[in-house]
Amino acid sequence: RRRKGLAAVLSVGLLLGLGGRSQAKDESSLFWPPPPEEIRVVFVKSIFAPKDIGVEPSFFNKLKNLLVGTQDDNLSRPIAVAVDNEGTIYVADPGTPAVHLFNQEAKRYRKITDIEGQALVSPVGVAVNKEGLIFVSDSILRRVFCLDKNGRLKFVIGQDESLSRPTGLAADGEKLTVVDTGAHRILIFDLEGNFIKAFGQRGNGDGQFNYPTSAALDKEGHTLCEANLTLEITAPTGLAAYPTVQKSGKCGPNNVTDEPDYFAFYEPGD
């Protein structure tokens, strides 16, 4: 019997667009899951540089690229992605290092390389909530920055050296979840930067992690955390579930998967 629970996709080869179109196979060669299952994810396009959303470099940038041979606005080592209510795509890229913002509808591009004079060194996490707050984690600075929708700094987490190596972020209208990979734990803050609680420690048992790297929040407020191919789902009440992680085992040309590398199913309330 096919389960109708939420599919928690742990990693994919390309940036994919969500879809439930029955004719997706005719529109794209990359989609998941394969028939006869209902299609949930469909490949839409790939983005490598501003030109991929219709943004052309200025004359001076073209001249700079010609003389110096640099492509500063190209993605170098993208590691995290988020999308706001207006469809702007935020990409954390420690290779640049910067957070790239691609607004496809308005054909606008900009990037964040520093926050109020503090240059980003290793931006590895980014999240945006429905109110437009932008959160950026820097694993080397050991900071998490919160910016308003206009890019102004609202607060910083980690100035008290409470973070070891912040990486993955997830945010909703009430709280911010921070994955601290170096400390093997998950921290919860309110949207003013005040600490609420933390859970996790190093180990292989329930409620324990080995270098967790990512987190997500579902619509019911559950925190989904991935580490060492273990998926933990923690409810706001503190109860946790541990659905089985499955490996797809499929890989296409150029190391691009036509299925998620790993996935798990869970029913809200499990």
Side-chain angles (χ1 to χ4, degrees):
R1 184 174 66 89
R2 183 170 68 88
R3 300 186 66 182
K4 296 182 180 179
L6 173 65
V9 180
L10 301 186
S11 69
V12 292
L14 287 174
L15 178 62
L16 301 178
L18 296 177
R21 294 169 288 182
S22 60
Q23 302 300 319
K25 187 173 181 181
D26 296 330
E27 301 172 22
S28 171
S29 61
L30 295 176
F31 55 91
W32 179 85
E37 299 288 330
E38 178 185 357
I39 294 173
R40 298 169 181 258
V41 183
V42 178
F43 172 78
V44 177
K45 66 184 297 183
S46 60
I47 296 175
F48 173 68
K51 66 179 182 179
D52 295 322
I53 63 168
V55 177
E56 293 295 332
S58 66
F59 170 79
F60 294 104
N61 282 338
K62 287 182 179 180
L63 184 61
K64 176 184 175 183
N65 293 338
L66 180 64
L67 295 176
V68 184
T70 61
Q71 297 288 336
D72 293 340
D73 294 339
N74 292 357
L75 296 179
S76 174
R77 190 157 51 93
I79 198 169
V81 64
V83 182
D84 68 15
N85 289 338
E86 297 178 355
T88 299
I89 300 172
Y90 299 72
V91 183
D93 183 357
T96 309
V99 175
H100 304 263
L101 282 68
F102 299 92
N103 187 319
Q104 299 183 84
E105 184 173 348
K107 294 185 178 181
R108 288 199 302 264
Y109 165 84
R110 68 184 181 95
K111 64 182 176 181
I112 302 170
T113 57
D114 70 272
I115 297 175
E116 293 203 348
Q118 172 63 68
L120 295 175
V121 180
S122 179
V124 294
V126 63
V128 186
N129 73 358
K130 292 181 179 180
E131 287 69 36
L133 294 179
I134 306 164
F135 303 91
V136 178
S137 62
D138 191 302
S139 61
I140 292 181
L141 294 177
R142 297 190 295 177
R143 300 284 190 274
V144 175
F145 302 92
C146 175
L147 311 176
D148 65 20
K149 61 183 179 181
N150 296 313
R152 293 187 294 262
L153 180 65
K154 186 175 180 183
F155 62 81
V156 181
I157 298 173
Q159 291 177 308
D160 57 356
E161 299 186 356
S162 58
L163 300 177
S164 174
R165 182 153 55 100
T167 53
L169 302 173
D172 60 14
E174 299 180 355
K175 62 182 180 291
L176 167 68
T177 299
V178 178
V179 179
D180 193 337
T181 300
H184 313 281
R185 64 176 184 162
I186 311 301
L187 300 95
I188 311 295
F189 299 86
D190 67 20
L191 298 185
E192 297 296 328
N194 300 308
F195 174 78
I196 299 176
K197 65 179 180 179
F199 57 90
Q201 59 182 334
R202 189 169 189 184
N204 296 315
D206 290 351
Q208 298 179 327
F209 301 106
N210 282 299
Y211 300 101
T213 56
S214 57
L217 298 172
D218 70 10
K219 63 182 180 180
E220 297 183 1
H222 295 82
T223 302
L224 289 73
C225 304
E226 181 275 327
N228 202 28
L229 296 185
T230 298
L231 182 65
E232 175 176 316
I233 302 170
T234 304
T237 59
L239 296 176
Y242 304 90
T244 301
V245 176
Q246 305 174 53
K247 184 175 182 179
S248 70
K250 295 186 178 182
C251 190
N254 300 318
N255 203 35
V256 174
T257 61
D258 58 4
E259 289 194 14
D261 298 330
Y262 302 92
F263 61 93
F265 288 98
Y266 85 98
E267 296 280 1
D270 280 357

